[in-house]
Amino acid sequence: MALMTGEQYIESMRKLNLQVYMFGKKIDNVVDDPILRPSLNSVRMTYDLAQMPEYEDLMTATSSLTGEKINRFTHIHQSTQDLINKVRMQRLLGQKTAACFQRCVGMDASNAVFSTTYEIDQKYGTHYHENFKKFLTRVQQNDFTVDGAMTDPKGDRGKAPHAQDDPDLYLHVVERRPDGVVVRGAKAHQTGFINSHEVIVMPTIAMREADKDYAISFCCPTDAEGIFMIVGRQSCDTRKLEGAPMDTGNPEFGGTEALVIFDNVFIPNDQIFLNGEVEFAGMMVERFAGYHRQSYGGCKVGVGDVLIGAAALAADYNGCAKASHIKDKIIEMQHLNETLFGCGIACSALGKPTKSGNYLIDLLLANVCKQNVTRFPYEIVRLAEDIAGGLVVTAPSEIDLRDPKIGPYVDKYLKGVSSVSTENRLKVLRLIENLCLGTAAVGYRTESMHGAGSPQAQRIMIARQGNLEMKKELAKKIAHIEE
């Protein structure tokens, strides 16, 4: 099996023995839980689209390991066209779900680990690259969803991993055995972990010799013994329990995040990709961050497309779509969104092969892309709220709209243009609320700020990659300065 259907994916998740906790209780049926199911539906879309001929070029690729047709989310980039198609695929999925579809992190982790393990092996004669290729071959053949886990809780940000008062605040090796290692710690903000078959764990920062036990990368099943997940809260999440789907804004799709605990998890030697080679921790982090910052030029743009469309619909339904200032605001939203897409495409088009043969994006432009993502979605949200009006946050519930006594009053007084039903007007306003303030705001707003590294992380990389000395020399030459 190289490509699962969406239904096969759902059934494969039922077979896992995931340890998931939410609101202080263990979730026995993760697949059908009403709060969690929309996030599973978003991942399912990555499988459903891969079955459709019209999306074959974007959603699938030919494996460099087996020669078989595979889902692009399990692919190792072989060209700049692969990098471009990745961004276009992510935009498509954002358009189809208006939510986080969760497989990007594993794809980006796979490509970062693929090239990094090759270079570790070159220096130390280790077998990490072969370990990873065997793992990825299995992933491709089974069309698994893979999570990427990088972010540690970090504790005191002013202290290195080994210097923390609690050593578990960075995931680390606590025992070394002839057949593998035992790890303990946690990974925070884990998007899609509960909807994944496997996880790739990576260090979260560059490290020095004293942090050797923290320089660890590996794979394991998400239901491995010792792993359990604590689902994070989202704004308006319990609306999914109220029996009023309209109030969720996006009844079918969503995302999910979790704090994932690794409580003395055993990792066999053949599942290890980095184990104490501290100088390569930074390379793995930098490459993953670059790929993931590229990703935001696709996924955030696709969700932005939906929000722009919702704002334009709200203007139509409010009867003000022809106002010049409304038109100008929608143009500005489109300009910002396409600028993000342009950055994602640019860093892909200028990608180059690594020593291992897979393609890495242009790191400078990938960081410029993500730096823009920390700003532009916030402005798009502001303009959407401006266009939609205050009813985005003051509208009565769907239950009120359906009530025999008060429903007619809601219908009468919240009417916009006469040709559009009050229900449809409220539906689009709830979608805007969902994207700007509700459950989807996790992935569209705050994740835009902090996902793939907070703003200062990109500024550091821009300073490092910007080649300022070369630009000084250009200025000296033009000005005929001799020193």
Side-chain angles (χ1 to χ4, degrees):
M1 181 195 299
L3 288 173
M4 275 198 282
T5 65
E7 188 57 37
Q8 287 171 330
Y9 162 69
I10 298 294
E11 292 310 307
S12 73
M13 292 306 298
R14 290 190 192 279
K15 298 176 183 178
L16 298 184
N17 185 29
L18 298 173
Q19 306 299 304
V20 179
Y21 294 81
M22 182 169 60
F23 304 142
K25 297 179 180 178
K26 188 175 184 297
I27 307 300
D28 294 324
N29 183 352
V30 177
V31 167
D32 297 313
D33 183 88
I35 289 181
L36 301 177
R37 182 56 186 252
S39 70
L40 192 70
N41 291 341
S42 294
V43 182
R44 175 179 178 155
M45 185 62 75
T46 70
Y47 289 90
D48 286 338
L49 293 183
Q51 299 288 329
M52 300 179 184
E54 62 267 37
Y55 301 124
E56 182 178 15
D57 288 346
L58 292 186
M59 295 301 307
T60 67
T62 300
S63 170
S64 58
L65 301 178
T66 68
E68 295 179 355
K69 181 179 178 181
I70 57 171
N71 194 295
R72 188 172 294 279
F73 279 104
T74 69
H75 186 48
I76 296 298
H77 311 306
Q78 300 297 299
S79 65
T80 55
Q81 190 60 53
D82 271 346
L83 293 170
I84 290 170
N85 285 347
K86 169 198 170 185
V87 175
R88 294 177 61 210
M89 171 184 71
Q90 290 166 318
R91 184 173 189 171
L92 172 68
L93 279 155
Q95 293 170 340
K96 295 293 187 180
T97 64
C100 178
F101 37 92
Q102 302 156 58
R103 292 183 79 178
C104 306
V105 191
M107 171 176 53
D108 295 338
S110 292
N111 277 273
V113 173
F114 184 87
S115 62
T116 304
T117 52
Y118 182 89
E119 296 185 37
I120 301 172
D121 287 358
Q122 278 195 322
K123 181 171 182 178
Y124 288 108
T126 47
H127 301 283
Y128 299 145
H129 192 62
E130 194 62 30
N131 287 352
F132 185 76
K133 287 198 295 183
K134 288 179 180 177
F135 161 73
L136 189 62
T137 298
R138 181 166 57 84
V139 166
Q140 291 179 347
Q141 290 175 337
N142 290 280
D143 202 7
F144 284 156
T145 289
V146 178
D147 185 60
M150 175 169 278
T151 305
D152 291 288
K154 297 189 180 75
D156 185 340
R157 271 64 169 173
K159 295 180 179 180
H162 75 276
Q164 296 289 324
D165 294 338
D166 183 343
D168 296 343
L169 290 174
Y170 286 79
L171 187 142
H172 62 119
V173 175
V174 295
E175 183 183 352
R176 298 185 184 277
R177 302 177 184 174
D179 56 345
V181 300
V182 177
V183 299
R184 185 165 63 233
K187 291 294 181 179
H189 321 307
Q190 288 308 293
T191 302
F193 197 108
I194 68 170
N195 297 322
S196 299
H197 303 93
E198 299 271 344
V199 60
I200 298 171
V201 172
M202 301 163 285
T204 194
I205 57 173
M207 294 179 181
R208 298 181 178 179
E209 190 64 25
D211 297 317
K212 192 169 184 176
D213 285 339
Y214 296 85
I216 183 73
S217 176
F218 58 87
C219 68
C220 69
T222 50
D223 61 353
E225 185 177 355
I227 293 179
F228 62 95
M229 295 150 252
I230 306 168
V231 176
R233 295 266 358 219
Q234 296 175 331
S235 175
C236 308
D237 51 10
T238 53
R239 288 189 186 184
K240 299 170 187 174
L241 304 175
E242 295 172 359
M246 192 175 88
D247 286 346
T248 68
N250 186 347
E252 188 173 359
F253 301 108
T256 189
E257 301 75 35
L259 175 66
V260 181
I261 312 300
F262 291 76
D263 187 18
N264 296 326
V265 178
F266 174 69
I267 308 298
N269 284 327
D270 63 358
Q271 293 174 205
I272 295 174
F273 311 136
L274 173 75
N275 190 7
E277 296 83 9
V278 291
E279 70 271 35
F280 286 95
M283 176 186 287
M284 191 176 287
V285 171
E286 183 177 285
R287 290 182 179 180
F288 168 77
Y291 282 123
H292 209 44
R293 290 164 189 172
Q294 169 212 24
S295 288
Y296 281 30
C299 65
K300 298 295 178 281
V301 176
V303 178
D305 288 331
V306 176
L307 181 55
I308 292 166
L313 277 176
D316 289 342
Y317 296 173
N318 290 342
C320 59
K322 294 182 179 180
S324 60
H325 71 97
I326 297 294
K327 291 180 179 178
D328 191 60
K329 287 166 185 171
I330 291 174
I331 290 170
E332 178 64 7
M333 295 168 79
Q334 292 177 306
H335 163 240
L336 293 171
N337 209 43
E338 298 302 333
T339 300
L340 297 179
F341 185 60
C343 285
I345 294 297
C347 72
S348 304
L350 295 183
K352 294 180 179 178
T354 66
K355 291 179 181 179
S356 67
N358 75 324
Y359 270 66
L360 181 66
I361 68 297
D362 182 283
L363 285 171
L364 173 60
L365 292 183
N367 280 275
V368 170
C369 178
K370 178 53 179 38
Q371 183 76 182
N372 286 338
V373 171
T374 67
R375 303 174 185 178
F376 293 178
Y378 283 81
E379 181 63 9
I380 293 171
V381 162
R382 187 188 71 82
L383 290 168
E385 292 180 1
D386 182 358
I387 292 168
L391 201 58
V392 166
V393 291
T394 66
S397 72
E398 179 183 358
I399 294 171
D400 292 318
L401 177 64
R402 310 292 184 207
D403 185 82
K405 180 177 180 180
I406 61 175
Y409 292 99
V410 174
D411 185 58
K412 173 183 174 70
Y413 289 110
L414 297 187
K415 186 84 170 176
V417 297
S418 58
S419 60
V420 175
S421 68
T422 300
E423 178 176 340
N424 283 344
R425 185 185 184 212
L426 291 176
K427 279 183 176 179
V428 79
L429 293 176
R430 287 300 187 202
L431 175 58
I432 293 171
E433 180 195 35
N434 171 259
L435 289 165
C436 298
L437 302 165
T439 57
V442 174
Y444 187 64
R445 281 180 54 126
T446 310
E447 187 179 278
S448 291
M449 180 69 74
H450 292 292
S454 298
Q456 192 58 26
Q458 292 105 58
R459 300 186 75 81
I460 291 169
M461 288 300 298
I462 290 169
R464 188 183 301 169
Q465 299 282 337
N467 204 348
L468 190 59
E469 292 305 313
M470 177 272 289
K471 291 166 184 171
K472 289 180 182 178
E473 292 302 317
L474 293 176
K476 287 180 182 178
K477 187 171 183 179
I478 295 295
H480 291 232
I481 293 173
E482 295 183 3
E483 293 180 338

